[in-house]
Amino acid sequence: MNQALKIDRQKVFTREPTPLSFDEMLRLVEAIEEKAPSVYKHRNVAIVQVLLHCALRVTEVASLNLS
């Protein structure tokens, strides 16, 4: 008999990601437009919109190639 089979395994619970509502997305973009320095405002809004509309992770957006 394998003694390792008697050990209780730890249960791992993963939390499902919950998407932002439409109103939350609008508030996020508006907050970026208000608070970001004018030099980076359009860039930051574009990054967040790509994140939200394409359902990408931050690391995936950071590794995007412009070409």
Side-chain angles (χ1 to χ4, degrees):
M1 176 87 184
N2 186 352
Q3 296 298 320
L5 295 175
K6 293 182 180 179
I7 299 173
D8 290 333
R9 288 185 248 162
Q10 183 180 11
K11 295 180 182 175
V12 178
F13 297 102
T14 58
R15 200 179 80 188
E16 290 291 322
T18 54
L20 295 177
S21 69
F22 184 72
D23 290 333
E24 290 171 328
M25 288 191 303
L26 288 178
R27 281 188 288 158
L28 177 61
V29 171
E30 288 171 1
I32 292 170
E33 289 176 340
E34 290 175 11
K35 308 241 186 239
S38 61
V39 177
Y40 301 114
K41 187 177 299 189
H42 297 295
R43 180 203 65 176
N44 293 349
V45 169
I47 290 171
V48 168
Q49 287 184 351
V50 168
L51 259 168
L52 297 173
H53 292 290
C54 297
L56 297 176
R57 297 181 182 108
V58 172
T59 55
E60 293 170 332
V61 173
S63 67
L64 286 177
N65 189 349
L66 291 177
S67 59

